Amino acid sequence: MEMPWSNTDLMVGFDEEFDAIVDFARASRVDGGFGYLDADGVVDPTRPIELWITCRMTHVFAMAALKGDDSAREFVEHGVASLLGPLHDDEHGGWYSAITPDTHEVALDKKEAYAHAFVVLAATSALAAGIPQANELLDEALRVEERYWWEPEFGRVCESWDLAFTRKEDYRGINANMHTTECFLSAWDATGDRKWLDRARGIIRFVYDQASQHEWRIPEHFSANWRIIPDYNRDEPAHPFRPFGVTPGHGLEWARLFVQAHAALAQEGEPGDDIAWMTEGAVRLFERAVADGWDVDGAPGFVYTTDFEGTPVVRERMHWVMCEAISAAVAIAPFLSEHPAGKSHAGNDKGGARSENDLRGEGDLRDESAPTITTRSLQELYAQWVAYVDEYLREAPGRWYHELTPDNAPGTRTWPGKPDAYHVAQMLIFARLPLTPTFASAIKDGLLAPLDR
């Protein structure tokens, strides 16, 4: 049975869409970084230059450069220069969360683990692309991670500091730790320092344990000593980074990260029995997110949030959730087949196109208590999701609505404009890569599966 992502026509379309999203993102370049694109693809002058956007754009342009787009290289260089320049705090260390577009003055009076994780990601991708000073940027970013963000007593990162790194916020969040996990996996690939892979594994184990105690719904909000705050942001349920309740999209994103970390550990010779929980957890997170979030309120699409019983709270649909759903489907597919755990989803341990035979069979995980998702049902979901993207999310090539209303009209409650290319770009090439190493490192190593155009 052929899975949709083994279809050459579909993958060629994804490749063309990747080029289109990169072209659209070029308009975000401003002096000092990359700006916030409005609905028309023009930088919004009323918004600051934000660290997380600058880093994500740098990462996307690095992937484009590695794929052979020579014109993208100068955008990566611009990102690195901005991160070593106006966005960097030369007095206290680390990076400003946001600066003003005209004078580059500080525009937000705190520093954030979430955004700092993306500095590491941008630096590793720029390094893979061979950008001068990327080593300097990565060394500084990892030094700051070690000194200010990592809390060894918990094995996770804190959330935010004041500008001078003298006072921490009394809050800990899963979102910041999710992207820290992603950046640690990329740091492992870039440096070969096993510490980063082990730390990613530790964060993932915490998420697995929390989710397994809550019917595979992930608690998002915690106190400084990591006690769950179940009512956090109840009065602001549609917050872009800290929404109330459970975020099915994060369940999907964590599922992908679980499998990527599993592949990295398996490649390092970790015994299968010691890491099987990671793929089991990935499948269960995926199934719970789909059951709670997909097509649950009378219209297609993933709801943004639910409560801890799975009842939708914020019913808007976010583009990033659909991107992560598609990527997670690709990630878990090998673990629904007869293939041994740890096999790369691109068809072999180091890459290459997934063949039709790689995903034959309709068996479930071989365990009576296993989730009910099967290869066939996964195929059907994937086909529905690609069709949903084409019908509702893609306004035009490279132009994606970031948010839709509950009835799938363009919306702006949480995400006005089109500021982010990262989720789309990664999704569009994920099926052509092995599960390890991470995106930029895999492309650099020649592991992007070729297309027969």
Side-chain angles (χ1 to χ4, degrees):
M1 180 172 65
E2 183 173 315
M3 296 296 281
W5 52 80
S6 66
N7 181 288
T8 300
D9 290 341
L10 180 63
M11 294 313 301
V12 168
F14 275 20
D15 198 55
E16 292 169 348
E17 184 65 16
F18 180 94
D19 294 341
I21 199 76
V22 170
D23 286 342
F24 183 79
R26 294 177 197 274
S28 66
R29 178 173 175 170
V30 295
D31 180 29
F34 294 99
Y36 191 110
L37 293 177
D38 66 16
D40 296 320
V42 177
V43 171
D44 183 345
T46 69
R47 290 181 175 266
I49 299 168
E50 296 182 79
L51 179 60
W52 68 274
I53 290 178
T54 295
C55 292
R56 285 184 176 191
M57 288 297 190
T58 302
H59 166 64
V60 168
F61 285 118
M63 291 192 294
L66 285 160
K67 283 178 81 271
D69 182 351
D70 293 337
S71 67
R73 184 180 176 85
E74 67 176 272
F75 289 82
V76 192
E77 293 171 344
H78 172 72
V80 170
S82 299
L83 293 168
L84 290 173
L87 282 162
H88 185 259
D89 183 349
D90 294 337
E91 180 180 1
H92 301 294
W95 283 266
Y96 301 119
S97 295
I99 56 177
T100 59
D102 45 1
T103 60
H104 297 168
E105 295 176 351
V106 177
L108 188 64
D109 62 352
K110 66 178 180 178
K111 289 172 178 168
E112 300 164 308
Y114 175 92
H116 275 70
F118 286 112
V119 179
V120 176
L121 183 65
T124 57
S125 298
L127 182 64
I131 302 302
Q133 295 189 290
N135 256 322
E136 177 187 345
L137 178 61
L138 181 57
D139 288 347
E140 172 68 1
L142 293 177
R143 185 189 69 81
V144 171
E145 284 290 330
E146 188 75 59
R147 181 171 181 181
Y148 295 113
W149 299 112
W150 185 249
E151 294 186 314
E153 66 271 32
F154 299 115
R156 293 174 286 284
V157 295
C158 61
E159 182 73 15
S160 73
W161 290 85
D162 65 343
L163 290 176
F165 283 121
T166 59
R167 186 178 64 258
K168 293 181 184 179
E169 181 181 3
D170 290 332
Y171 167 89
R172 301 293 181 269
I174 284 296
N175 195 9
N177 277 272
M178 180 176 69
H179 288 291
T180 296
T181 298
E182 178 182 43
C183 90
F184 283 177
L185 291 175
S186 67
W188 153 247
D189 291 332
T191 68
D193 186 341
R194 178 63 185 257
K195 168 177 66 179
W196 304 115
L197 178 57
D198 289 339
R199 288 183 179 180
R201 176 184 184 163
I203 298 172
I204 287 171
R205 183 71 214 199
F206 174 79
V207 173
Y208 174 95
D209 290 343
Q210 289 293 321
S212 66
Q213 295 166 26
H214 293 88
E215 298 182 316
W216 299 100
R217 299 181 181 104
I218 302 170
E220 294 274 339
H221 310 299
F222 297 81
S223 66
N225 62 355
W226 287 94
R227 293 181 181 275
I228 297 171
I229 311 175
D231 290 331
Y232 189 89
N233 265 351
R234 181 179 287 276
D235 296 332
E236 195 177 355
H239 193 283
F241 300 108
R242 303 183 189 181
F244 164 73
V246 179
T247 308
H250 284 167
L252 297 164
E253 199 162 356
W254 275 112
R256 170 175 64 83
L257 291 169
F258 274 40
V259 174
Q260 288 181 289
H262 176 276
L265 289 162
Q267 187 164 283
E268 287 302 294
E270 199 80 10
D273 289 346
D274 291 349
I275 55 176
W277 59 270
M278 300 174 98
T279 53
E280 175 234 350
V283 175
R284 292 180 184 275
L285 287 171
F286 180 90
E287 184 176 50
R288 170 55 66 192
V290 172
D292 285 355
W294 171 249
D295 197 13
V296 294
D297 61 356
F302 275 96
V303 299
Y304 181 34
T305 66
T306 73
D307 63 18
F308 274 92
E309 285 69 50
T311 303
V313 175
V314 178
R315 297 171 182 266
E316 276 75 9
R317 284 84 160 108
M318 308 299 173
H319 89 296
W320 68 265
V321 178
M322 185 53 66
C323 292
E324 290 301 333
I326 290 171
S327 293
V330 174
I332 70 167
F335 305 100
L336 303 179
S337 71
E338 296 300 319
H339 291 285
K343 189 177 180 68
S344 135
H345 71 294
N348 56 57
D349 288 340
K350 278 293 188 180
R354 178 201 296 273
S355 73
E356 179 179 341
N357 290 330
D358 280 334
L359 288 164
R360 288 188 181 275
E362 300 172 22
D364 207 338
L365 296 181
R366 294 174 294 278
D367 167 347
E368 289 183 0
S369 64
T372 58
I373 194 81
T374 65
T375 301
R376 181 178 295 281
S377 61
L378 187 68
Q379 179 187 33
E380 292 169 352
L381 285 170
Y382 186 94
Q384 291 173 31
W385 294 343
V386 171
Y388 178 90
V389 165
D390 284 338
E391 183 171 356
Y392 297 110
L393 286 172
R394 284 179 72 246
E395 180 186 19
R399 300 172 63 97
W400 287 53
Y401 294 117
H402 279 33
E403 178 179 336
L404 302 175
T405 65
D407 58 358
N408 287 308
T412 59
R413 180 181 181 183
T414 300
W415 286 114
K418 298 181 173 72
D420 184 28
Y422 150 90
H423 282 286
V424 179
Q426 290 195 157
M427 178 273 289
L428 290 168
I429 62 172
F430 187 57
R432 294 176 57 201
L433 295 172
L435 288 168
T436 190
T438 48
F439 292 89
S441 292
I443 303 171
K444 175 183 71 72
D445 291 346
L447 302 180
L448 184 70
L451 294 172
D452 297 323
R453 290 181 179 270

